[in-house]
Amino acid sequence: MKKISESILLFCLVLFSLAKSSGFKDRFTESKFIEIAGIVIDSESLTPLENAKLYDEKGKLISTTDNRGYFSGKVNYSEKGGIHFKIRAEHNGYFSFTQKENWANLGNVRCIYYFGLEKTSGISMKNSFSEMKLSKDLTYESVLAGFESVKNNRSFYHKLALAGSNNEKVFFMIDQKYYIVSNTGWLLITSPDDKVSVNKKKIIKASELNTLIKRKYIKNMSPSESKDYLYEIYTK
C-alpha cells in the first residue's frame, strides 16, 4: 500500500512539473473559437474579390473567398479573461488589412465581417476598411443583405472625403443633411442654426464654425446635455 501511495505521489509531482512548462500548459488552456463569415471586396469599386485569404494572428489560414467574395470559418482564441484575436485579409495586388479585436467574454459569438482592400497601385492603404456586425445567421444570403448598408456607408464616406479635401472646414452639408466634422469623426446635426459650444468659451451657430476653427485642431466633439447648446467642441 505504501509503495502505491508513493507511486501516486511521484506521478502527481511529475504532472505538476510538466504543467508548469509552457508547452504542456498550452495543451490544457481552454481553446475556444469565434465563428465568422463575410465578404472581401475592392475598397474602391466595392466588387467582390475571389481567392482572398483570411489568416489568424498565428498565420493559420481561416478561409478563402469564393467567386462571390464570400468566406466563412472559425477563429481560435485562448480564453484568458476576454476575447482577443486578429484577422488578416490578403489578396494579390492589394494591401493586406488586419482587424484587431479585444472584447469582453461574450460567450459563443458569431459575426459578419466586410473587408475592403485597396490596390497596391494606390498611394497608401488609407482606403482599406472593415465593418463588423454580430449575427446568428452567417449564410451568404445574410451577409449579402447587410452588404447594402456597407455600400451606403462607403458612399457617404467617399462624399465626406471629397467635401473635406483641400480645406479645413468643420461644417458641411451633404445630401441635404448637415454635419460637424473632425479628422477622426463626424456628428449629424439637425440644422445649420444648431448652437455649438467651442471650448466652453463661445457659443455659435453650426454654420459659423468654418469662420472660427479649423478641422485639424479639433480634439474632441460630442452632443451636449446643456440647455444652451446642442453640441460641444474642444480644440487643441
Side-chain angles (χ1 to χ4, degrees), residues 24-229:
F24 189 82
K25 184 178 179 181
D26 287 343
R27 295 182 185 180
F28 288 90
T29 301
E30 186 175 3
S31 180
K32 293 194 175 182
F33 58 84
I34 302 293
E35 291 186 75
I36 65 170
I39 296 178
V40 180
I41 60 175
D42 181 296
S43 63
E44 182 66 27
S45 65
L46 302 184
T47 54
L49 294 176
E50 184 178 3
N51 290 325
K53 298 185 183 301
L54 290 302
Y55 298 93
D56 65 15
E57 59 185 303
K58 294 182 178 180
K60 181 180 178 181
L61 181 66
I62 300 170
S63 183
T64 301
T65 59
D66 61 18
N67 60 359
R68 303 168 297 180
Y70 173 76
F71 67 88
S72 64
K74 296 178 180 179
V75 183
N76 291 313
Y77 70 93
S78 295
E79 188 176 28
K80 297 180 180 178
I83 297 175
H84 313 279
F85 64 93
K86 298 178 184 178
I87 304 172
R88 186 176 78 254
E90 294 187 355
H91 192 283
N92 290 336
Y94 289 80
F95 289 108
S96 64
F97 182 89
T98 300
Q99 177 66 30
K100 301 178 182 179
E101 300 291 9
N102 186 0
W103 305 341
N105 194 339
L106 304 176
N108 295 326
V109 177
R110 304 177 115 201
C111 52
I112 293 174
Y113 282 95
Y114 300 93
F115 288 103
L117 303 184
E118 183 179 0
K119 291 181 179 178
T120 52
S121 57
I123 299 176
S124 68
M125 58 177 295
K126 64 181 180 179
N127 291 324
S128 299
F129 69 89
S130 72
E131 293 192 25
M132 185 275 288
K133 70 173 186 175
L134 298 178
S135 176
K136 293 182 180 180
D137 186 355
L138 301 184
T139 62
Y140 173 72
E141 289 71 23
S142 175
V143 173
L144 188 62
F147 186 42
E148 194 62 34
S149 65
V150 174
K151 290 192 290 186
N152 291 337
N153 289 342
R154 301 322 300 177
S155 176
F156 168 72
Y157 291 139
H158 181 67
K159 292 177 181 178
L160 189 61
L162 286 177
S165 62
N166 301 317
N167 66 69
E168 287 294 336
K169 292 181 179 180
V170 176
F171 170 79
F172 292 94
M173 183 178 74
I174 301 174
D175 293 337
Q176 306 305 311
K177 294 181 180 180
Y178 305 100
Y179 298 89
I180 300 173
V181 180
S182 71
N183 283 339
T184 58
W186 51 269
L187 294 173
L188 174 64
I189 66 175
T190 57
S191 165
D193 296 325
D194 285 352
K195 296 296 179 63
V196 182
S197 166
V198 179
N199 296 323
K200 288 196 172 181
K201 294 180 179 180
K202 192 169 185 177
I203 300 175
I204 63 174
K205 294 179 180 178
S207 59
E208 298 173 347
L209 285 169
N210 293 338
T211 63
L212 182 66
I213 59 177
K214 293 183 179 181
R215 190 169 66 246
K216 64 182 178 181
Y217 294 132
I218 295 179
K219 182 178 181 180
N220 187 31
M221 61 183 191
S222 66
S224 175
E225 296 181 356
S226 172
K227 295 180 180 179
D228 299 321
Y229 46 85

